[in-house]
Amino acid sequence: MFSGQCEGCGLRTCFEMIHLRHIPPHFSHLSGLLNLFRSKLNGVNVNPPDINIAARLTYCLRHWNVEDWPVGPLSSGDGSDCFLSLPVGASSDPIQEIHLCAVWPLLTELTVTDNETNSGFDPFNAPKWSIRTQLLDNPGLLLSKD
């Protein structure tokens, strides 16, 4: 998804966000998107300065837990387990997906290279990270009643 805005000399141009099922090769990197952005400004008597860029790469982990989910009674470890023999928790992993985002909130076009052959967007060097989990709608919970 892409969005952009150009402001200057009393002119504001907004570029709407789109979602493409199949990305054309020239739009799969920043230099192609910057060329599209500049082509939209060709008819305007504005010479844009360096273009500011914000970028976010999102990685989605699905079916990430391949091990069996441990189900069983709690144990205190001191032999007094008679009161802790009720099974608790979820019968399977309640997490459906994990979304991990690497974020570059402010860059200029001169500080990063992203084209068909090279990319300066190394997630390990992103200044901000965020994570989000998506839970199952109805995970099987022990000690619950519907």
Side-chain angles (χ1 to χ4, degrees), residues 2-108:
F2 310 102
S3 67
Q5 187 176 68
C6 177
E7 293 184 28
C9 302
L11 175 73
R12 175 187 285 179
T13 303
C14 295
F15 298 90
E16 296 296 323
M17 189 178 292
I18 59 169
H19 181 101
L20 302 173
R21 191 171 295 275
H22 301 285
I23 301 170
H26 53 285
F27 293 154
S28 65
H29 47 80
L30 182 60
S31 63
L33 293 171
L34 288 173
N35 289 338
L36 173 68
F37 184 79
R38 283 194 180 89
S39 72
K40 299 296 180 183
L41 297 177
N42 275 344
V44 181
N45 292 330
V46 174
N47 187 10
D50 294 341
I51 296 173
N52 292 327
I53 301 160
R56 181 177 79 179
L57 300 179
T58 302
Y59 302 93
C60 182
L61 303 172
R62 292 182 182 102
H63 312 293
W64 62 281
N65 190 359
V66 295
E67 297 177 9
D68 288 335
W69 191 256
V71 175
L74 289 176
S75 174
S76 64
D78 64 0
S80 62
D81 294 341
C82 62
F83 294 109
L84 301 174
S85 61
L86 295 173
V88 297
S91 60
S92 63
D93 189 352
I95 298 175
Q96 182 177 7
E97 295 178 353
I98 296 177
H99 296 197
L100 184 63
C101 299
V103 182
W104 292 265
L106 182 60
L107 297 169
T108 65

Side-chain angles (χ1 to χ4, degrees), residues 104 107 111-115 118-123 125:
W104 292 265
L107 297 169
T111 60
V112 66
T113 301
D114 187 53
N115 55 38
N118 296 320
S119 178
F121 290 116
D122 181 1
N125 295 328

